[in-house]
Amino acid sequence: MASDVVNDFSIQVATVNGSGSQTANLVLIRSLFQMGIPVSGKNLFPSNIAGLPTWYTIRANWRGYIARKKDVDILVALNPETAREDVLALDAGAAVVYDAALKLDEVRADLTFYPVPFDELVKPVCPDAKLRRLVRNMIYDGVLSRLLGIDLAEMDRALEKQLGRKPKALALNRAALAAGDAYAAEHLSKADPFRVERMDATRGKILIEANAAVALGAMMAGVTVVTWYPITPSTSVVETLIDYMKRYRVDPETGKATFAIVQAEDELASIGMAIGAGWAGARSMTATSGPGMSLMAEFSGLGYFTEVPAVIIDVQRVGPSTGLPTRTSQGDMLSTAVLSHGDTKHIMLIPSSAEECYSLTMKAFDLAERFQTPVFVMTDLDLGMNTWMADEFPYPDAPLDRGKRLDRATLEKLPDWGRFMDVDGDGIPWRTVPGDGLPAYFNRGSGHNAKGQYSERAEDYTSLMDRLARKFETARRAVPPEVVDEVAGAQVAIAAYGTSHWAVEEARGQLAAEAGLATSYIRLRSYPFTQAVERFIDRHARVYVVEQNRDAQMLSLLKLDLTPGQVGKLRSVVYYTGLPIDARSISDEILAQEREARQRARP
Amino acid sequence: MTTPAPASPAAGRKINRINLEVAAYRGGRTTLCAGCGHNAISERIVDACFEMGVQPERMIKLSGIGCSSKSPAYFLGGSHGFNAVHGRMPAVATGALLANKTLLPIGVSGDGDTGAIGAGQFVHLMRRNVPIVYIVENNGCYGLTKGQLSPTADAGSALKNGVVSGLPAMDLCALAVQLGATFVARSFSGDKKQLSSVLKAALAHRGAALLDVISPCVTFNDHEGSTKSYAYVKDHADPLGEITFVPFFDDISVEYDPGSSIAVTLHDGSRVVLKKLDDKYDPRDKLAALALLHESNQRGELATGLIYVDPAKPSFVDLLNVVDTPLSFLPEAQTRPGREALADIMARLR
């Protein structure tokens, strides 16, 4: 046997959609997490309710690298339709736990095979034939527990956390877990190098799907009006929010809600309602994905031009069109920055982690009201629908920023007031809302002057557009700044954002360890960018912009802000398979481009 | 919410029950064509709001795009207004009401804005029974783009340029009744008395109130051969009988004969008394309303008046079970859960 590989492997579970493997996968992740090992879980699933192949990948890594790993170390093959293909795709040395009936050991000789008679094992455990399909999966947890050395007691604890409120299901699954473990102990002899050891790297952390983190951020931001239309992968943002709000935002004395959540007839209506609510003074939001964003274009422009706050959560999936609805991408960055016809620029916040899904969603509400404009939170399917480790979310340390909402005292102090008058020179006017008893105004998506009156005068239009641009510049100083990790003397740098972060961190490790290439790193968290981006580019020779779309969308946005000299330093690394980006794809591409640059430099 | 100190009226000026003059309900000067039916409707809105004594700061005016949608700038100058995007005013109105359920919205739309581009949102506004006075200024054509057919143009009706509509007209009233609107009326911009009564009754109602008001386009659709011209509508309007509105604050007792009249008490306690021409017709009967619209259409006539009303059905906003304070004015203490809530959630995720 090769030397042990401890706390560094990926497991891929191949099943059929709808077969109930989610409990088994979450128990597996949670038990590793409970043993203190950094872990992540990603569901690579089809747009289908039941019957199509689905894969779940779990990454455990002692260094904390939890991006998707390109190669699979341990395959759990339970789907007869894909099993052979799945086995053929493995690197030599990988291990395969499989349904014995599939006879996968005939396919290759350079893998470690662990046949398990699932059907035979599940019968005595679960006499009710109808339930067997669901319980069967827990057997592979038992087998892996024995093969990898995962403490069975931790599995049991994780199972209880998962099913504690369903005693019958808990008992059945426990028995299946034990059956798998016992079978492995008796019939399988360990022949692969992968195993686990207890660590202490997850203390004080939580496990969460980041759509739930967005929901928590919205609730803690005091959202009052939520209007939405179901669309994968954003649906669970609002469904989770509904659960939280029912629990924490209902007045215990009267039983009445401090919020309204409405499922609209489509995305045109969901953003229209959010804009209507924002105009009337509520903290409002909607959540959607690519196709919904396209439908929201016109209202986004209205929100920008009439200066109405609203928060739009875009959980990006693969486009264009219906695209791959259950796969991940960063494909809406460019279109969202300028969403709508006419000159439009939107504030976007870009979380990389569950923590930031919480904190930046909260921030989005403050910025929307401060800048009186729609603010977009650009997350993605990989973040939103997968299981992430995160530090516990801190309680907000600042009160809500409701922006320039006029009150009578302020109104009396102002020399003059018009709804769209820039009295403070920052491009942000003061606003009143219906029902506040202060002067009313007529809001309109047509041309208007500083008082909000209809105007087609050239100077009124130009001055309005210039003020909106000035407001956007003010936002540049208020958005969450980039996170910079500058390595002294590094010539090469990486710029990335969102979920690419996790693969970039690992790729930097690979570049340093395998090619001796030190890289600086800037992680973008907002649009507009702050001044730090230009300074960072100036200090490096080449900056690789890593993103998960075909057309280098963020690089295009950067170009708008940079000098030709700075633009000349930008290189592009793009990844667009629908799967979460992995480190190897980044480091290979950067090294290839570096080699090419050196060759070009030679005479 | 504060009630503004009423302006003291000049001697001899007429004031309403909250001490405001009619001027407090007027808006900017119209930019629509002289003689446009929409201007008459704006005047009726001003009068109705004045007579009902509604607080201008509680009212909001909303519209989509088109000639009709410009008109909210021409009434209720002291109220907030939002001229939004084409066909999507219902969503904006709904959102505003979610933010503040105490607001009284008047939506003004046109036949294209409602029946064509906005059909989807109109359908769901009515279906939800959102509390709004939703006026369609219906002239059967697109005015702002210079006279194309709209979905309410009658089959056989001709445009000025000779184009004849070959498709059946969309009956917005029938659609609204079927969808769940709780106040459905049809009127004519030229019928001052009826329109005024219907408007006041709609203001007294809580629920989706559709007012389909035929409002001839003097520039593009007022010629012979059009079924939306002043002359045609005057000839073919078929009022359902006299409608009298008795506001809740008016303690005059109205004598009526229950054999020949029907009195309906509205949400705020106001009443509409309908003198029956046809002794069978009862506007609380949904099937009768649909039959009436269908039969009137078959005869080539235009039934006007209060066609359907259900004052008891709870509105969409009232079904939401939200706190009494408008959500838009809730303080942070009520909208941001405390530390123990977050700690509780974190404990479950550990």
Side-chain angles (χ1 to χ4, degrees):
Chain A
M1 199 200 301
S3 61
D4 281 5
V5 177
V6 179
N7 296 346
D8 185 9
F9 54 81
S10 68
I11 303 173
Q12 180 143 302
V13 181
T15 54
V16 177
N17 207 26
S19 66
S21 54
Q22 187 72 345
T23 304
N25 296 330
L26 288 175
V27 165
L28 196 49
I29 291 173
R30 187 164 279 286
S31 59
L32 292 165
F33 175 78
Q34 284 166 189
M35 289 180 74
I37 306 160
V39 67
S40 68
K42 296 185 192 297
N43 196 2
L44 313 174
F45 63 107
S47 179
N48 161 258
I49 297 301
L52 289 183
T54 181
W55 294 267
Y56 197 91
T57 75
I58 293 168
R59 174 93 188 264
N61 183 279
W62 59 273
R63 291 185 196 85
Y65 293 150
I66 52 170
R68 186 177 69 87
K69 195 177 167 187
K70 201 170 185 175
D71 30 289
V72 173
D73 298 313
I74 301 152
L75 172 72
V76 178
L78 294 181
N79 183 354
E81 281 192 35
T82 64
R84 283 180 179 255
E85 208 184 317
D86 288 340
V87 166
L88 287 171
L90 294 171
D91 282 352
V96 186
V97 172
Y98 67 104
D99 187 356
L102 298 175
K103 299 193 168 52
L104 295 177
D105 51 342
E106 295 169 359
V107 181
R108 281 173 69 167
D110 55 350
L111 307 173
T112 307
F113 285 99
Y114 300 108
V116 179
F118 280 86
D119 290 333
E120 200 179 297
L121 291 176
V122 77
K123 271 181 206 159
V125 166
C126 184
D128 185 345
K130 277 179 290 186
L131 295 176
R132 274 179 206 153
R133 190 177 60 88
L134 299 172
V135 175
R136 193 176 184 264
N137 290 305
M138 198 53 66
I139 292 171
Y140 68 72
D141 275 11
V143 171
L144 288 174
S145 148
R146 177 64 60 167
L147 290 176
L148 291 169
I150 302 169
D151 191 336
L152 198 62
E154 295 292 3
M155 283 238 176
D156 199 66
R157 222 178 98 206
L159 187 58
E160 191 163 348
K161 179 124 187 156
Q162 244 6 80
L163 294 175
R165 277 171 287 182
K166 299 174 186 163
K168 198 179 158 210
L170 180 63
L172 285 174
N173 280 285
R174 263 196 179 135
L177 191 59
D181 175 65
Y183 179 84
E186 205 173 322
H187 300 281
L188 304 178
S189 59
K190 175 81 172 172
D192 67 83
F194 307 105
R195 64 180 183 84
V196 303
E197 258 175 32
R198 275 188 190 276
M199 292 176 60
D200 193 18
T202 64
R203 189 186 298 271
K205 289 188 189 288
I206 57 170
L207 280 179
I208 190 169
E209 289 181 10
N211 275 353
V214 168
L216 270 177
M219 178 170 75
M220 299 308 286
V223 68
T224 50
V225 175
V226 184
T227 52
W228 68 298
Y229 187 75
I231 180 172
T232 302
S234 75
T235 304
S236 61
V237 169
V238 180
E239 288 193 330
T240 314
L241 182 57
I242 291 170
D243 289 345
Y244 284 139
M245 297 287 260
K246 279 185 180 163
R247 199 178 176 100
Y248 300 104
R249 287 280 299 276
V250 173
D251 186 312
E253 277 173 33
T254 61
K256 289 184 175 178
T258 59
F259 63 89
I261 300 182
V262 171
Q263 184 181 324
E265 58 269 32
D266 56 26
E267 289 90 347
L268 299 170
S270 61
I271 190 168
M273 291 178 191
I275 293 283
W279 165 67
R283 287 210 144 182
S284 65
M285 68 171 273
T286 184
T288 191
S289 188
M293 292 294 286
S294 292
L295 289 178
M296 291 182 183
E298 189 183 20
F299 259 120
S300 298
L302 179 81
Y304 173 79
F305 195 56
T306 62
E307 301 181 64
V308 174
V311 170
I312 296 105
I313 311 292
D314 178 10
V315 188
Q316 296 168 91
R317 68 187 212 185
V318 174
S321 190
T322 306
L324 311 178
T326 59
R327 309 293 165 148
T328 196
S329 90
Q330 297 177 320
D332 299 347
M333 302 308 296
L334 189 54
S335 56
T336 303
V338 296
L339 191 64
S340 155
H341 55 277
D343 286 323
T344 311
K345 286 199 246 188
H346 295 298
I347 298 172
M348 300 190 289
L349 303 185
I350 316 160
S352 276
S353 61
E355 290 96 327
E356 284 186 343
C357 280
Y358 168 72
S359 62
L360 296 191
T361 297
M362 210 158 16
K363 182 81 180 168
F365 283 91
D366 282 355
L367 290 174
E369 286 202 296
R370 170 59 47 188
F371 291 94
Q372 301 173 16
T373 194
V375 171
F376 296 81
V377 179
M378 306 300 290
T379 155
D380 66 23
L381 182 144
D382 181 20
L383 254 182
M385 293 188 73
N386 287 325
T387 303
W388 295 82
M389 292 193 312
D391 289 330
E392 283 195 19
F393 301 162
Y395 194 76
D397 54 8
L400 307 180
D401 178 5
R402 303 303 304 263
K404 294 190 190 177
R405 275 269 284 264
L406 207 53
D407 53 37
R408 199 159 287 284
T410 312
L411 177 63
E412 275 157 19
K413 268 183 264 166
L414 294 179
D416 192 9
W417 179 77
R419 168 62 184 99
F420 302 106
M421 208 173 264
D422 185 9
V423 289
D424 302 318
D426 56 3
I428 311 170
W430 288 82
R431 70 180 185 129
T432 58
V433 304
D436 68 4
L438 295 166
Y441 68 98
F442 194 83
N443 212 13
R444 43 164 52 94
S446 44
H448 45 272
N449 63 19
K451 295 260 185 203
Q453 292 155 330
Y454 185 85
S455 171
E456 294 182 22
R457 290 174 49 171
E459 52 274 38
D460 282 340
Y461 177 74
T462 308
S463 93
L464 170 56
M465 293 307 284
D466 288 347
R467 182 177 58 73
L468 289 173
R470 201 155 63 240
K471 189 166 84 164
F472 197 70
E473 285 308 305
T474 304
R476 198 184 287 284
R477 297 187 294 275
V479 292
E482 295 75 17
V483 178
V484 176
D485 177 16
E486 203 159 325
V487 173
Q491 290 290 296
V492 174
I494 297 174
Y497 59 96
T499 46
S500 304
H501 166 70
W502 302 94
V504 165
E505 283 288 30
E506 187 177 351
R508 291 176 72 204
Q510 291 169 346
L511 290 169
E514 300 166 15
L517 180 65
T519 53
S520 294
Y521 177 34
I522 186 164
R523 182 161 68 82
L524 309 169
R525 296 201 298 166
S526 65
Y527 183 75
F529 314 112
T530 78
Q531 300 293 337
V533 172
E534 286 194 55
R535 291 195 298 268
F536 180 84
I537 294 170
D538 286 340
R539 288 193 296 269
H540 295 90
R542 290 176 296 286
V543 179
Y544 290 89
V545 184
V546 176
E547 48 192 322
Q548 298 176 64
N549 56 59
R550 184 192 67 181
D551 292 345
Q553 298 188 12
M554 187 62 86
L555 188 140
S556 303
L557 286 175
L558 282 164
K559 280 181 180 172
L560 296 176
D561 276 20
L562 301 175
T563 64
Q566 290 163 336
V567 169
K569 294 178 172 185
L570 299 182
R571 305 284 182 275
S572 176
V573 176
V574 291
Y575 185 85
Y576 49 99
T577 64
L579 299 174
I581 192 171
D582 65 279
R584 190 53 69 190
S585 296
I586 298 170
S587 52
D588 282 356
E589 177 64 20
I590 289 177
L591 286 177
Q593 290 195 34
E594 283 291 299
R595 269 194 302 275
E596 210 176 293
R598 273 199 305 276
Q599 273 158 15
R600 263 206 311 271
R602 282 194 207 113
Chain B
M1 198 176 311
T2 56
T3 307
S8 58
R13 294 264 180 85
K14 206 175 149 194
I15 56 165
N16 67 6
R17 68 185 180 96
I18 60 165
N19 297 327
L20 293 179
E21 291 182 55
V22 69
Y25 296 90
R26 294 215 171 101
R29 206 176 59 200
T30 179
T31 59
L32 300 173
C33 304
C36 175
H38 303 355
N39 289 329
I41 299 171
S42 295
E43 285 167 28
R44 296 294 82 72
I45 293 171
V46 169
D47 291 345
C49 292
F50 168 73
E51 287 170 28
M52 289 295 284
V54 293
Q55 294 174 337
E57 72 274 16
R58 270 191 69 198
M59 306 221 49
I60 50 172
K61 318 170 283 183
L62 303 117
S63 60
I65 296 294
C67 291
S68 58
S69 292
K70 286 173 171 257
S71 72
Y74 315 140
F75 57 81
L76 296 176
S79 304
H80 280 268
F82 202 156
N83 178 197
V85 294
H86 202 7
R88 323 285 177 209
M89 169 263 279
V92 178
T94 306
L97 275 168
L98 296 175
N100 185 342
K101 63 178 181 177
T102 68
L103 296 173
L104 301 171
I106 291 189
V108 178
S109 180
D111 35 299
D113 194 61
T114 288
I117 191 169
Q121 297 216 335
F122 170 71
V123 161
H124 290 277
L125 187 79
M126 295 298 128
R127 176 177 164 255
R128 290 191 180 101
N129 194 29
V130 171
I132 182 173
V133 177
Y134 187 96
I135 302 165
V136 180
E137 301 185 339
N138 186 351
N139 56 18
C141 74
Y142 286 74
L144 214 46
T145 49
K146 305 200 171 180
Q148 296 77 23
L149 287 166
S150 91
T152 64
D154 292 304
S157 182
L159 284 175
K160 216 171 170 180
N161 60 10
V163 174
V164 176
S165 174
L167 294 173
M170 197 178 218
D171 187 331
L172 299 174
C173 289
L175 197 54
V177 170
Q178 200 275 329
L179 289 165
T182 46
F183 185 108
V184 177
R186 177 169 282 147
S187 193
F188 170 42
S189 63
D191 187 340
K192 193 169 171 177
K193 186 161 180 287
Q194 185 195 55
L195 180 54
S196 178
S197 297
V198 162
L199 264 172
K200 285 185 279 187
L203 285 167
H205 178 72
R206 185 158 175 89
L210 170 72
L211 274 57
D212 179 17
V213 184
I214 311 302
S215 174
C217 173
V218 289
T219 305
F220 296 108
N221 207 6
D222 196 30
H223 48 274
E224 197 163 334
S226 159
T227 62
K228 295 278 193 292
S229 66
Y230 274 110
Y232 187 93
V233 180
K234 270 180 196 152
D235 281 355
H236 293 79
D238 181 20
L240 285 170
E242 199 177 312
I243 171 168
T244 309
F245 177 78
V246 187
F248 69 92
F249 49 85
D250 228 346
D251 52 6
I252 326 161
S253 63
V254 177
E255 294 293 327
Y256 68 93
D257 170 9
S260 63
S261 301
I262 291 176
V264 181
T265 304
L266 299 169
H267 176 79
D268 71 354
S270 301
R271 282 179 305 161
V272 272
V273 179
L274 306 154
K275 196 171 171 197
K276 295 194 280 188
L277 289 183
D278 171 351
D279 59 6
K280 288 191 301 253
Y281 192 67
D282 182 341
R284 293 166 295 193
D285 182 342
K286 203 169 191 172
L287 276 178
L290 289 168
L292 171 93
L293 289 165
H294 181 70
E295 285 159 13
S296 152
N297 184 9
Q298 293 293 98
R299 290 197 304 269
E301 285 175 349
L302 206 60
T304 63
L306 180 57
I307 290 161
Y308 177 67
V309 64
D310 175 1
K313 188 175 159 188
S315 82
F316 180 66
V317 173
D318 298 318
L319 289 172
L320 290 171
N321 192 34
V322 294
V323 291
D324 296 339
T325 309
L327 298 178
S328 55
F329 295 116
L330 283 181
E332 181 173 335
Q334 270 179 278
T335 63
R336 172 176 272 174
R339 287 176 186 277
E340 60 294 339
L342 186 64
D344 180 38
I345 295 165
M346 289 300 116
R348 287 160 198 270
L349 294 167
R350 248 173 242 143

